[in-house]
Amino acid sequence: MLENFSFRTITEYLPLFGYGFAATLWLSIVSFAGALAVGITLCAMNLQRSQALKVPAKIYIDVIRATPLLAQLYFLYFGLPRLGVVLPELFIGILALSLNSGAYVAEIIRAGILSISRGQVEAGIASGMTYFQRMRLVVLPQAFRVTIPPLLGQAIVLVKDSALLSLISVSELTRAGQLLASDRFMPAEGFITTAACYLALYYGLKTLAASSERWLRLRPTGNLK
Amino acid sequence: MIWQQLQSLIGSYPLALRGLAMTIALSLLSLILGTLIGFFLGVLRTKGNRLIIRVIGAWVDLIRGTPFLVQIFLIFFILPELGIELDAFTAGIIALTNLAACFICEIVAAGIRSVPTGQVEAALASGLSQWHRMRQVVLPQAMRVALPPLVGQYVLLIKDSSVVSAIGLTDLTRVGWLVVQRVPNGLLVFAIVGAGYFVVCYPLILLARRLEKNMNAAHGEVQL
């Protein structure tokens, strides 16, 4: 039973968990920035008329969505050295997370852009705006508002997915739990503390998503003033 | 060189078949169990008493807020401490079923909430019992909204089943991991592993898209 649950051991390992928490946090932030870059590029390719740009983006998105992140991670982890690219595990992890989340981000942004009614674009054309002016001044400011809540949802998924990096021995939160579990044979203490740390991140992001939604609802046409 | 690797890859096909069988068994079992439990919880979530709603909501949040890998470790290493002996396969099934049930519960609950109150009131006025209201009026309409995300959830479930390789189950991903120790060509090995998942998941993704399109079309009809 769990009656000998040792809080003292957890306090002993607290610095390790603090380090893991910080590592998960910053590697998630870096990966999310990477995912945004990948996603915006893919989405821009996907919205072009030229098939040469559109088809590769579509194939990439479908392949990423139909295969597990763990297989993608191992693909890079075992595959990159084969190509002569030797990177530390941490970089491989961040790369895998960015490439994986990027496909989902691309779909979110595309849905946001397509949600802008055709009339807005036509009005832009009628006012003599160029493609980039229409995008920058009409479509993107409105699409931006629609995409914020689902993007934060994707950020939550990314933070949770980053736990898989522990399997290629990146030292982050789950790894900290594994260390405590194997050093002291205390899996309960290790993994419950890990879970609690992830829950803290989850509730933080969830509150942010809820408040952003409220903020956006209060200013339905804020950018059109 | 590449030829030798291919030959040794072909040699390990019994292992690959075993891995594929394991992935299919895990996904299918937890998919069926998770759907049944998820539906039950989803109905309770909208119609049950307040305490039950709270408890389900808290549990769903707990599962949504933690990585699946950590959930598997918790189940696999902590249930034995509580006196429940279980092997890796059972632990994997419990973890996947629990995950699926939580997400499906939310999907079903959202579907039920999307049914206009007028429908329930009309059913009440026609003297239908609570069971009949649910089964004949609310659920058929809720299903229409719930079906596309439900299929999407099945794709996630199949993909998440790869994580159980962390507790030593030889599923498709684990097989890739084992083979890559002998055939040092990660690109080739994991491309094949990925292809294995792709042939199962991609048709489901297409199905979800099709369902969503049909649903939008059907809704358009109703609004006319």
Side-chain angles (χ1 to χ4, degrees), chain B residues 92-138:
Chain B
I93 290 285
I94 293 175
L96 277 169
T97 303
N98 176 40
L99 183 79
C102 282
F103 281 92
I104 290 171
C105 158
E106 288 298 285
I107 291 170
V108 171
I112 290 176
R113 285 194 204 105
S114 77
V115 177
T117 351
Q119 297 282 330
V120 183
E121 286 164 358
L124 265 174
S126 321
L128 292 181
S129 69
Q130 191 175 8
W131 164 251
H132 279 116
R133 281 205 303 276
M134 213 13 139
R135 213 186 69 80
Q136 297 183 326
V137 179
V138 177

Side-chain angles (χ1 to χ4, degrees), chain B residues 39-112:
Chain B
F39 257 83
F40 181 67
L41 290 180
V43 173
L44 275 185
R45 178 112 210 235
T46 48
K47 303 285 166 204
N49 72 37
R50 197 173 284 172
L51 181 70
I52 294 179
I53 292 176
R54 281 269 174 79
V55 171
I56 296 177
W59 184 251
V60 168
D61 246 7
L62 215 60
I63 296 305
R64 279 182 146 183
T66 49
F68 183 56
L69 182 63
V70 176
Q71 292 167 22
I72 287 187
F73 283 150
L74 277 170
I75 289 170
F76 187 57
F77 292 116
I78 293 183
L79 283 189
E81 281 195 35
L82 297 170
I84 305 164
E85 285 303 323
L86 76 180
D87 55 4
F89 185 75
T90 323
I93 290 285
I94 293 175
L96 277 169
T97 303
N98 176 40
L99 183 79
C102 282
F103 281 92
I104 290 171
C105 158
E106 288 298 285
I107 291 170
V108 171
I112 290 176

Side-chain angles (χ1 to χ4, degrees), chain A residues 136-171:
Chain A
R136 196 170 64 80
L137 298 169
V138 180
V139 177
L140 287 182
Q142 298 183 71
F144 181 68
R145 311 161 59 78
V146 190
T147 53
I148 292 285
L151 277 182
L152 284 171
Q154 184 57 38
I156 291 177
V157 172
L158 193 148
V159 170
K160 291 193 290 168
D161 279 348
S162 76
L164 291 183
L165 301 200
S166 66
L167 296 179
I168 57 167
S169 59
V170 173
S171 43

Side-chain angles (χ1 to χ4, degrees), chain A residues 99 111 129 192:
Chain A
L99 291 176
M129 288 178 167
I192 289 176

Side-chain angles (χ1 to χ4, degrees), chain B residues 111-204:
Chain B
I112 290 176
R113 285 194 204 105
S114 77
V115 177
T117 351
Q119 297 282 330
V120 183
E121 286 164 358
L124 265 174
S126 321
L128 292 181
S129 69
Q130 191 175 8
W131 164 251
H132 279 116
R133 281 205 303 276
M134 213 13 139
R135 213 186 69 80
Q136 297 183 326
V137 179
V138 177
L139 276 185
Q141 298 185 68
M143 273 316 287
R144 210 191 237 179
V145 178
L147 210 52
L150 199 60
V151 177
Q153 189 56 48
Y154 291 157
V155 176
L156 285 184
L157 188 68
I158 295 169
K159 290 195 289 174
D160 278 336
S161 79
S162 68
V163 179
V164 297
S165 60
I167 53 170
L169 279 176
T170 23
D171 74 328
L172 205 51
T173 308
R174 180 81 183 168
V175 167
W177 192 89
L178 290 171
V179 169
V180 92
Q181 316 289 333
R182 283 191 294 119
V183 186
N185 190 342
L187 290 177
L188 188 63
V189 170
F190 280 99
I192 295 172
V193 169
Y197 284 98
F198 187 85
V199 290
V200 185
C201 291
Y202 190 59
L204 283 175

Side-chain angles (χ1 to χ4, degrees), chain A residues 9-71:
Chain A
T9 319
I10 293 179
T11 39
E12 259 174 58
Y13 273 76
L14 221 47
L16 183 66
F17 279 104
Y19 175 79
F21 189 88
T24 290
L25 192 64
W26 79 255
L27 79 83
S28 298
I29 291 172
V30 174
S31 306
F32 194 65
L36 281 178
V38 173
I40 290 169
T41 315
L42 281 173
C43 180
M45 285 167 70
N46 202 353
L47 289 174
Q48 297 309 311
R49 219 166 266 153
S50 141
Q51 293 294 320
L53 290 169
K54 199 172 181 155
V55 173
K58 272 196 174 356
I59 292 176
Y60 178 86
I61 291 172
D62 280 343
V63 166
I64 292 284
R65 286 170 58 124
T67 51
L69 171 62
L70 190 55

